[in-house]
Amino acid sequence: MPNRSLLSLFTGLALAAGTTLFSAHAEAADKTLTIYTYESFTAEWGPGPKVKAAFEKTCGCTVNYVSVTDGVALLSRLKLEGTGTKADIVLGLDTNLVDEAKDTGLFEASGIDTSGLKVPGNFKDDVFVPYDYGHFAVVYDTQAIKTPPKSLKELVEGDPQQKIVIEDPRTSTPGLGLLLWVKSVYGDKAGDAWTKLKGRILTVTPGWSEAYDLFTKGEAPMVLSYTTSPAYHMIADKTDRYQAAAFSEGHYIQIEVAGLIKSSPNKDLARDFLKFMISPGFQDTIPTNNWMMPVSATSEPLPDAFGKLVVPSKTFLMSPDVVEKNRKAWIDEWLTATSAN
């Protein structure tokens, strides 16, 4: 007969081990990673759903997106929430906002090795991890405009009957990008340039999605978007109708980043996501879902359509500290110029 005492002991140990293993899996599965980001990232056609599915396969967790209109709105929300924010990661700020974001005291060093990333201008930061980039551009409808502007000067001084939709620099990173693009080219004369351009502006939207929706509905023949936007139409819509205008002065670049919130209760999980973010599993979704350029290797080459895109002759990018010091004043200048009678 078996020794009942030993049998009971082994049974108890086995049950305990099984309970511990089950508890560990249950604990991992119960973890929720909350990511604040922008609406076009989480849209059905954006990279968010694919990124969520891919990461959840490996993390034993749930990814929860909280989305706002655009990148500038992300920073505004964080400032309002302060240390009470529920975010573990903020994804969708750009290099124009990183100094201001650091000043909130809400972020901490990522601990992620980004030395192998390929980012124009060799952007490096110990807090924020870049995940994609793209140059801003005026995208136009070739059926409505036969001769697009070939420079920012031509856009500013062109036919006021040919309207453009732009984004608000107070809430939108593309809107802020255009503001800095105009400032980079016109300098102290930026206010005068905005006054001239005002007659061509159909409307100013809170974010990129609203602006691009108006454009594709035919409300205006031009929109402030990206040099990569035509790739979407070539691949998804099988049309060359929408194109980006190449500007002789050059184009302003956007480098999008993500950062770890200092108060996050899930820092290990959050860092796992930041590592995943620069791996092929995430980067593969960028070209044909976020319609931007990846910062690291993808498992597949870029689609042929990306070889047909505008390549800027010059890249503009202001340092984050310059933007932080002047953003409010330059927005006030924009408001004065565009609201004047």
Side-chain angles (χ1 to χ4, degrees):
M1 292 180 63
N3 186 311
R4 295 186 182 276
S5 298
L6 287 175
L7 183 59
S8 297
L9 176 62
F10 290 148
T11 302
L13 289 172
L15 286 171
T19 301
T20 302
L21 184 61
F22 176 79
S23 297
H25 282 299
E27 183 181 354
D30 286 344
K31 284 187 177 179
T32 298
L33 184 70
T34 299
I35 301 176
Y36 282 17
T37 186
Y38 48 82
E39 289 174 353
S40 61
F41 188 89
T42 60
E44 182 180 352
W45 44 264
K50 291 182 179 178
V51 167
K52 172 182 167 71
F55 187 65
E56 286 181 348
K57 284 181 181 178
T58 65
C59 72
C61 69
T62 299
V63 172
N64 174 46
Y65 291 126
V66 176
S67 57
V68 297
T69 305
D70 217 319
V72 178
L74 278 175
L75 183 55
S76 298
R77 175 162 180 162
L78 281 176
K79 286 181 176 180
L80 285 173
E81 293 181 347
T83 56
T85 183
K86 301 300 183 184
D88 296 302
I89 287 175
V90 176
L91 184 154
L93 302 177
D94 67 13
T95 54
N96 297 318
L97 299 172
V98 295
D99 272 27
E100 193 171 339
K102 288 178 185 177
D103 285 348
T104 65
L106 296 175
F107 293 89
E108 71 171 60
S110 69
I112 305 300
D113 180 10
T114 60
S115 59
L117 303 185
K118 296 179 181 178
V119 183
N122 296 316
F123 171 78
K124 286 180 173 47
D125 193 86
D126 63 347
V127 174
F128 291 99
V129 180
Y131 63 90
D132 69 15
Y133 68 90
H135 288 84
F136 293 114
V138 170
V139 173
Y140 66 99
D141 182 348
T142 61
Q143 293 183 7
I145 295 181
K146 300 305 178 185
T147 307
K150 297 179 178 63
S151 66
L152 197 59
K153 184 176 186 294
E154 286 190 14
L155 176 71
V156 167
E157 299 178 2
D159 183 359
Q161 297 304 310
Q162 293 181 333
K163 300 295 184 181
I164 184 171
V165 181
I166 67 171
E167 299 85 356
D168 194 323
R170 294 168 295 179
T171 55
S172 162
T173 51
L176 179 58
L178 179 59
L179 185 83
L180 301 178
W181 192 0
V182 171
K183 180 59 70 171
S184 296
V185 172
Y186 282 92
D188 293 341
K189 302 295 184 182
D192 294 338
W194 281 115
T195 299
K196 292 178 182 177
L197 183 60
K198 183 182 70 168
R200 299 195 80 172
I201 299 172
L202 176 70
T203 190
V204 179
T205 63
W208 176 88
S209 296
E210 300 94 329
Y212 212 78
D213 186 54
L214 287 172
F215 168 68
T216 54
K217 285 180 177 176
E219 296 294 327
M222 296 183 290
V223 65
L224 188 279
S225 192
Y226 299 87
T227 58
T228 47
S229 297
Y232 165 79
H233 299 288
M234 285 187 267
I235 294 170
D237 298 338
K238 311 298 183 188
T239 180
D240 294 333
R241 175 177 174 177
Y242 303 107
Q243 295 295 322
F247 280 8
S248 58
E249 303 99 337
H251 294 245
Y252 200 94
I253 195 171
Q254 179 178 49
I255 302 169
E256 295 191 296
V257 300
L260 169 64
I261 294 294
K262 188 182 297 183
S263 60
S264 167
N266 303 304
K267 288 183 182 178
D268 288 342
L269 187 59
R271 285 193 171 93
D272 285 345
F273 182 87
L274 293 176
K275 290 177 187 174
F276 168 74
M277 195 178 70
I278 56 177
S279 73
F282 183 106
Q283 292 290 299
D284 282 348
T285 70
I286 292 300
T288 56
N289 289 276
N290 220 32
W291 303 99
M292 297 281 272
M293 299 299 292
V295 298
S296 65
T298 56
S299 61
E300 299 290 338
L302 291 176
D304 291 343
F306 279 76
K308 302 176 183 178
L309 302 176
V310 165
V311 178
S313 58
K314 179 180 178 180
T315 292
F316 294 107
L317 179 64
M318 291 187 184
S319 64
D321 62 314
V322 170
V323 178
E324 182 189 18
K325 290 174 185 175
N326 295 284
R327 184 162 78 98
K328 184 180 184 302
W330 290 344
I331 287 175
D332 288 343
E333 178 183 59
W334 170 80
L335 281 169
T336 300
T338 55
S339 60
N341 293 325

